[in-house]
Amino acid sequence: ETEGKQTAYAHCNSELKVEKDGVSDTETKADSGVPEVPVPADDTPEVLNKALSGLSSRWKNWWVRGILTLAMISFFFFIIYLGPMVLMMIVLCVQIKCFQEIITIGYSVYHSYHLPWFRTLSWYFLLCVNYFFYGETVTDYFFTLVQREEPLRILSKYHRFISFALYLTGFCMFVLSLVKKHYRLQFYMFGWTHVTLLIVVTQSHLIIHNLFEGMIWFIVPISCVICNDIMAYMFGFFFGRTPLIKLSPKKTWEGFIGGFFSTIVFGIILSYFMAGYRYFVCPVEFNNDSNSFQVDCEPSDLFQLQDYALPSVLESVTGWTTVRLYPFQIHSIALSSFASIVGPFGGFFASGFKRAFKIKDFANTIPGHGGIMDRFDCQYLMATFVNVYIASFIRGPNPSKVIQQLLALRADQQLHIFNSLKAHLVEKGLLPALEEAAA
């Protein structure tokens, strides 16, 4: 009887331990077939460990996260100072690191099966997709340079065919690598690689496209996500009481709401300061004469101060009838709202992914923060929104791209378009009639 009681007591203790860890017994059984990823060791710098040794783990984590956050923000300002070309290179490096972190998790989970060519094919597909996207970007934004160099002109002309041929080669290599006893698992990993490419590479390509529209479209969205992340953490740390979502037990409603209002205010203020500088608002263009990027233009109406009438409610509170704003500040409210309301769902998605494989972070690259992917899980969702927002509400026809396409046509096609355009302008009264010009 005593032995039976001890067995029951031990069973009860094991159930309590499972509940304490935040994973139900049902979830444990359901995930029992998923091998656990090895937990990375704590890589907090020894200097910080010694300096913060007297603090509790909660406050120690707060200080480590705070110090590293300030360091990352300082680095962000530094690369902005270095210019658009360096920013593009940083985006590429971040993309590769995020891809490596996700693929490494897949490899760590299933490495015992010794899948042939899994890592090689994963990196090969990354190369193919980057070749396709960056080739499209070069053709769009470096058209004159491409037409000037014969090898680049040939690569540009057959770019999509070459990209497809490269992908098809990888596809055939995958089919040839199939092993009878691992069919299902190999297709799992094939899908794993392609979903990773969709999430990471496609979004980073959109970030670069946003950058070409003007550095303000790159800096403000990224800064809003950073601000929301910091302020939600601060409000949640000091005032958090009400859990927000089960996927992230540490997220609270207090942090979510505090982060929202803080991000709106931050976005309006940051947009006001940046909208006054051509360096930030002008599209990034390639200068063929100097073979370098230039950021200089006459700012559009979006970045010209205008007077806006205040609603009667605000007028009675402030005593102002009008307020002087940049139109971009109004757009920044939409960007800030997305960053603080929808953006965190990118983080929740990443949390669900990590819980599925029983890991805390994607990697241990940044002490107190985890891997690079842990910091950019919300940024990729934001990049897609900004690109769609610009295409839907901001961008109009691009004259330079139209001219690029015209120059690529045959001489007879160019002449036909010239005569059609001339007839259209005469009909509109913008050019004198042919008889008047002859007289």
Side-chain angles (χ1 to χ4, degrees), residues 86-316:
V86 176
L87 282 172
M88 292 178 202
M89 296 304 297
I90 292 295
V91 170
L92 177 61
C93 292
V94 167
Q95 173 218 115
I96 293 172
K97 186 65 176 73
C98 290
F99 182 83
Q100 180 265 333
E101 289 177 359
I102 298 176
I103 289 300
T104 299
I105 291 173
Y107 183 76
S108 299
V109 169
Y110 296 112
H111 74 281
S112 60
Y113 295 97
H114 302 293
L115 297 182
W117 298 1
F118 167 60
R119 298 183 92 169
T120 303
L121 284 174
S122 296
W123 287 101
Y124 177 79
F125 281 125
L126 176 67
L127 177 67
C128 293
V129 175
N130 270 312
Y131 176 81
F132 171 74
F133 279 126
Y134 279 92
E136 294 284 310
T137 300
V138 168
T139 302
D140 285 343
Y141 294 98
F142 301 84
F143 179 81
T144 307
L145 175 65
V146 169
Q147 293 300 313
R148 198 168 62 200
E149 302 292 337
E150 183 65 19
L152 291 178
R153 191 179 64 80
I154 294 173
L155 287 174
S156 173
K157 183 177 181 180
Y158 302 105
H159 171 68
R160 296 195 176 185
F161 179 80
I162 295 171
S163 299
F164 178 70
L166 288 172
Y167 177 82
L168 202 58
T169 301
F171 179 81
C172 293
M173 289 170 63
F174 167 75
V175 173
L176 292 174
S177 72
L178 290 173
V179 179
K180 186 176 182 179
K181 60 181 178 179
H182 295 321
Y183 285 158
R184 181 181 298 181
L185 190 56
Q186 285 182 283
F187 278 101
Y188 281 160
M189 301 316 297
F190 184 77
W192 181 298
T193 299
H194 280 67
V195 170
T196 304
L197 292 171
L198 176 66
I199 293 174
V200 176
V201 182
T202 306
Q203 314 305 319
S204 64
H205 176 67
L206 296 180
I207 290 176
I208 291 177
H209 268 248
N210 298 341
L211 178 59
F212 274 109
E213 294 295 328
M215 290 181 67
I216 196 168
W217 292 104
F218 173 86
I219 297 171
V220 169
I222 286 180
S223 299
C224 285
V225 172
I226 294 172
C227 173
N228 182 71
D229 192 31
I230 293 172
M231 297 310 297
Y233 177 76
M234 297 287 286
F235 275 92
F237 186 87
F238 290 106
F239 309 110
R241 296 290 183 273
T242 314
L244 176 64
I245 186 169
K246 289 183 179 180
L247 281 174
S248 295
K250 293 182 180 180
K251 299 290 191 299
T252 63
W253 275 105
E254 291 81 2
F256 185 79
I257 296 170
F260 169 75
F261 287 106
S262 301
T263 306
I264 296 293
V265 174
F266 171 81
I268 293 173
I269 294 173
L270 179 64
S271 299
Y272 179 81
F273 283 107
M274 293 187 66
Y277 294 92
R278 294 186 179 188
Y279 180 73
F280 295 119
V281 305
C282 290
V284 177
E285 296 179 343
F286 184 77
N287 190 317
N288 297 295
D289 297 327
S290 61
N291 285 330
S292 62
F293 287 103
Q294 66 175 17
V295 185
D296 188 28
C297 67
E298 187 63 35
S300 66
D301 292 340
L302 199 61
F303 305 105
Q304 303 285 349
L305 282 169
Q306 298 181 20
D307 291 323
Y308 292 92
L310 286 176
S312 56
V313 177
L314 293 177
E315 184 179 342
S316 61

Side-chain angles (χ1 to χ4, degrees), residues 6-83:
Q6 288 177 345
T7 304
Y9 179 74
H11 179 69
C12 182
N13 273 347
S14 66
E15 286 186 346
L16 287 173
K17 186 178 184 301
V18 168
E19 290 300 323
K20 184 179 179 181
D21 292 339
V23 182
S24 67
D25 189 55
T26 305
E27 186 178 342
T28 304
K29 288 179 181 177
D31 289 342
S32 60
V34 180
E36 294 189 18
V37 179
V39 180
D42 179 22
D43 64 340
T44 304
E46 191 62 30
V47 176
L48 287 179
N49 275 328
K50 289 182 178 179
L52 305 174
S53 58
L55 299 177
S56 65
S57 60
R58 183 170 182 260
W59 279 100
K60 179 183 176 182
N61 183 61
W62 190 89
W63 278 104
V64 170
R65 286 177 66 95
I67 292 169
L68 269 298
T69 296
L70 291 176
M72 288 188 289
I73 291 173
S74 301
F75 178 70
F76 181 57
F77 283 129
F78 177 67
I79 61 174
I80 289 172
Y81 170 76
L82 293 177

Side-chain angles (χ1 to χ4, degrees), residues 297-340:
C297 67
E298 187 63 35
S300 66
D301 292 340
L302 199 61
F303 305 105
Q304 303 285 349
L305 282 169
Q306 298 181 20
D307 291 323
Y308 292 92
L310 286 176
S312 56
V313 177
L314 293 177
E315 184 179 342
S316 61
V317 174
T318 61
W320 303 337
T321 55
T322 60
V323 63
R324 198 163 175 76
L325 297 171
Y326 291 102
F328 181 81
Q329 288 180 272
I330 298 173
H331 292 289
S332 75
I333 296 175
L335 300 179
S336 301
S337 299
F338 185 91
S340 53

